[in-house]
């Protein structure tokens, strides 16, 4: 036994195979569960892929590093559930690439912030957090109201998500930039079209208080207002999702 | 002087420029705890939900689920709180709920901020009865909820209903309403009567419980300066108060209503 390693070390092929075996154990534990994702993710009603405008907002969320201060993961802890609402489900992150669970809460969790505040509050808060919440350490993002959204890139963004398996139709991909503008239309002229395309829980209105133009603020607020609002929790059987 | 011990440890036989490598075994305690942790992890796999299977997840012999446990915990806490709030001297639940959910808009002191009304000034938009307050909290104002309250100040300027010059005159008149001597004979006063009093009442005195603000008092949602009023007249206003039905349960909403009524009474006396 004491000299077992000496033997192994002197057989280069055998030694290489042994290394390969040990190293692959780590990979196996990480990769094998991916093949069973179908039955790990709960089946829920209401989940849908992001609309182009929400996706643009999500990209801004990532670009500005909001995840450094905000989590989007309500854990199965009593304190979390009492403060933020129903614990997060795996299904709620199924269209997030990458997910925004985060690991630090300088500010509150945002997983269910959708419809908790009004658009006007979000705009005013993002422009100057301390004006509404005295003592807030959240930085101001007033420039988002001044920056026009360039929606052209959304076509390729949706195309790559489609390649990754998100259920966007070729029409949705092609028309993504136009759909983004539709969603922020003050008069909601195309509400029916958007709902047919994306589902009943799409919110259509002017989000940033500037109906005449499409800004990054529109996109970010549209994203914040849909967070955690998709899944129909009344239709959810606690037995079914017990894990 | 003691002689250094003469025992040379065994080496691996490798030698690099005179440097050799000891072959000391890992201390037994490390080896044992290493094996022990592996055994414990195997035990945990068996006891707790762990491996994904082909059709389902291995539920574990104990049948433990953090999701079920947390839901039970929440129920338990609800019962505990019910007991605690019955005790004398307990901090009202309403104040905690208000800080968590409402203060970002209405302020920690309940005195409101620009765009979000003061809740303790006794100038209720929708009347201050308990039922009305509960309905406001539950269904919200101008939300997507089917039972929402609805109120909208039209955009007289943007939608071209009145010319700019007239709006400016009306703004001055509205600003003067809360002052000492408003001129009710001016052209602006006549225009107000024609365009505004249907909602805001004669001379801005308000129509109780309609959700439309009184204009002849010192309480303003959006500000009582002529600039703020002119902006209101130009672009309209439609403040959104979120609906809380899906976030707060009936009991919590009642606690909040009682808290608001208590705070408004304390302010009034």
């Amino acid at each position: 036994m004491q000299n077992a390693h000496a033997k192994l070390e002197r057989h280069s092929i055998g030694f290489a195979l042994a290394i390969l075996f040990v190293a692959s154990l780590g990979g196996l534990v990480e990769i094998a569960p991916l093949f069973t994702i179908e039955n790990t993710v709960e089946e829920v009603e209401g989940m849908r892929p992001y609309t182009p405008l929400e996706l643009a907002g999500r990209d801004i969320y990532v670009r500005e590093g909001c995840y450094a201060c905000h989590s989007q993961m309500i854990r199965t802890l009593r304190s979390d559930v009492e403060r933020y609402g129903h614990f997060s489900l795996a299904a709620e992150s199924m269209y997030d690439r990458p997910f925004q669970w985060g690991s630090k809460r300088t500010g509150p969790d945002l997983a269910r912030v959708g419809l908790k505040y009004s658009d006007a509050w979000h705009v005013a808060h993002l422009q100057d957090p301390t004006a509404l919440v005295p003592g807030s350490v959240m930085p101001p993002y007033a420039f988002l109201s001044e920056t026009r959204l360039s929606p052209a890139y959304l076509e390729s963004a949706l195309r790559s998500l489609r390649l990754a398996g998100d259920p966007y139709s070729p029409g949705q991909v092609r028309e993504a930039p136009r759909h983004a503008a539709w969603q922020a239309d003050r008069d909601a002229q195309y509400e029916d079209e958007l709902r047919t395309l994306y589902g009943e829980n799409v919110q259509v209105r002017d989000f940033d208080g500037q109906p005449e133009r499409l800004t990054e603020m529109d996109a970010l607020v549209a994203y914040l207002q849909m967070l955690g609002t998709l899944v129909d929790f009344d239709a959810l059987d606690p037995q079914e999702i017990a894990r | 002087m003691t002689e250094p011990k003469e025992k040379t440890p065994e080496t691996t036989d490798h030698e690099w420029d005179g440097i050799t490598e000891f072959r000391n075994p890992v201390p037994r305690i490390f080896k044992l705890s290493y094996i022990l942790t592996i055994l414990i992890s195997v035990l945990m796999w068996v006891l707790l939900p762990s491996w994904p299977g082909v059709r389902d997840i291995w539920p574990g012999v104990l049948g433990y689920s953090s999701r079920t446990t947390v839901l039970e915990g929440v129920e338990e806490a609800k019962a505990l709180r019910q007991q605690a709030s019955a005790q004398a001297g307990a901090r009202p639940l309403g104040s905690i709920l208000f800080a968590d959910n409402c203060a970002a808009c209405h302020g920690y002191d309940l005195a409101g901020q620009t765009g979000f009304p003061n809740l303790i000034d006794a100038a209720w938009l929708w009347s201050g009865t308990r039922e009305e307050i509960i309905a406001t909290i539950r269904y919200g104002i101008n939300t997507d909820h089917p039972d929402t309250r609805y109120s909208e100040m039209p955009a007289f300027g943007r939608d071209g209903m009145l010319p700019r010059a007239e709006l400016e005159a009306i703004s001055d008149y509205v600003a003067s309403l809360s002052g000492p001597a408003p001129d009710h004979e001016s052209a602006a006063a006549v225009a107000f009567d024609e365009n505004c009093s249907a909602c805001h009442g004669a001379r801005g005195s308000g129509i109780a419980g309609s959700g439309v603000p009184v204009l002849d008092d010192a309480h303003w949602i959006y500000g009582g300066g002529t600039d703020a009023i002119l902006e209101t007249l130009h672009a309209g206003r439609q403040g959104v108060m979120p609906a809380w039905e899906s976030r707060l349960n009936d009991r919590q909403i009642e606690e909040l209503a009682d808290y608001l009524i208590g705070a408004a009474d304390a302010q009034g006396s």
Side-chain angles (χ1 to χ4, degrees), chain A residues 1-10 15, chain B residues 12 14 23:
Chain A
M1 192 61 197
Q2 280 289 307
N3 291 315
H5 69 88
K7 264 193 199 140
L8 195 58
E9 280 165 13
R10 289 193 167 88
F15 195 39
Chain B
T12 53
H14 300 304
R23 187 163 60 204

Side-chain angles (χ1 to χ4, degrees), chain B residues 229-268:
Chain B
I229 295 176
L230 191 58
E231 178 56 28
T232 301
L233 296 188
H234 174 74
R237 302 280 189 191
Q238 192 168 19
V240 174
M241 154 81 185
W244 296 89
E245 190 181 35
S246 59
R247 262 174 216 278
L248 302 175
N249 60 36
D250 287 352
R251 201 180 122 73
Q252 289 172 315
I253 291 176
E254 282 166 25
E255 291 273 357
L256 273 167
D258 291 339
Y259 172 66
L260 291 187
I261 293 169
D265 286 350
Q267 188 75 7

